[in-house]
Amino acid sequence: MKGITFIAIAALLGLSSPKATAQPVTVSAGGEIPTIAEGLKLTQSYDTLHIKQGTYLEHNLVVDKPITIIGHNRPVIDGEKKGFILVITADDVTVKGLEIRNTSTSFMEDYAGILIEKTKNTLIEDIRLIDNFFGIYLAETDKAVIRNNYFSASGERETSSGNGIHLWYSKDTKIENNYVRGHRDGLYFEFVDGAYIRNNVSEDNIRYGIHFMYSDNCSYLDNTFRNNGGGVAVMYTSNVEIIGNRFEDNWGSSAYGMLLKEINRSRILDNHFENNSVGLYIEATSRNEVKGNTFKQNGWAIKLMANSTDNVFSENNFLANSFEVSTNSRRNFNEFTGNYWSQYEGYDLDRDGVGDVPHHPVRLFTILVEKQPQSLLLLRSLLIDILDAAEKVMPALTPETLIDIKPQMDQLK
């Protein structure tokens, strides 16, 4: 009752919340407020800044109060390579409908189209970021949402390019439905916790489609990483979910669909690896579940280094890869069970759908290539077929324990 009485009194006295008193401010080229910098000065907390169509040659625009910025008919903010463009330092800021282009490039400063620093609850939506050093850079931010944006850059070298979406020391960020191309890394995370990354496309980047280190408890769902320099790199991280993603067309002498280095207690499920030099490269990685993935037409489906232990590979499809699995030791401390191997030549007399003899996915020739890469020239020769046949009868070099004791006779769905 007291609460109702207070609200009634507040209404009579005109004491309403800041959001209720928010006022629109409109910027238009040739209008009463011709620049965005002036518009930002005139706004109060929880106001909305409307920007009309046009090109605004401005940079280092600081948003230091909780406001909403909306572009109409996609106005362009051109930084003319003179620094940052939009710098957000307040909580509860929303930015929509702009095109932001031409930050500075530097070896000392991380110039970004949108820099978000030490904030909470920022929403960046429907923005085109063109030819910026860094597209969006988040530092020490919580609960930001980055969705439905387009990033394009023309980077040619790693040393002179930034990342499309860069997160540093940030928590609970949601990144959805973005397209990123032409940067050093499409997405880069360092010391990030609890991020949710879904349905993004990252392609034609100089180094990685996504690169994350020391970033625990994150989920990567239904993304596409295509034709990047090195595919995807996942390092020094625990408890992540990598589910339903596509890793495609990452070709090169050291390229791979995805690299796992010191990844622990994570789930890699239902992903698709196709046309990569190496589908999945695994090093010093332990206690992970690799299940339900498809490895199709890669050079190597999986390269599994011997310092990786207690990983379980089950119910995966291995289809027409040049090499199914390779390793660098005769010792193996991982488990393969219930996978489908298109190169399996066994039989199923009891017709239970499981091969009656184990499958050895590591070929003798694979080991020879590891020791002498030049021998790859003999890949399709009769000599190699004879060597592989002899190794199956009398294994001498291939790991004795790296076998699938329950190979599936039919491709898994």
Side-chain angles (χ1 to χ4, degrees), residues 334-351:
N334 304 280
E335 179 182 357
F336 284 81
T337 182
N339 301 285
Y340 173 77
W341 309 87
S342 62
Q343 297 180 26
Y344 180 58
E345 296 176 347
Y347 45 84
D348 180 20
L349 296 179
D350 58 6
R351 298 184 180 279

Side-chain angles (χ1 to χ4, degrees), residues 48 80 179 195 213 243 254 261 287 290 309 318 339 359 361:
T48 297
E80 299 183 289
Y179 175 85
M213 301 190 294
I243 301 174
S254 60
K261 183 177 178 62
R287 302 186 298 283
V290 183
T309 61
F318 293 82
N339 301 285
H359 178 60

Side-chain angles (χ1 to χ4, degrees), residues 30 57 65 83 124 157 190 246:
L57 305 179
K65 63 198 86 167
I124 307 296
R157 294 180 299 157
E190 189 171 358
R246 295 185 69 87

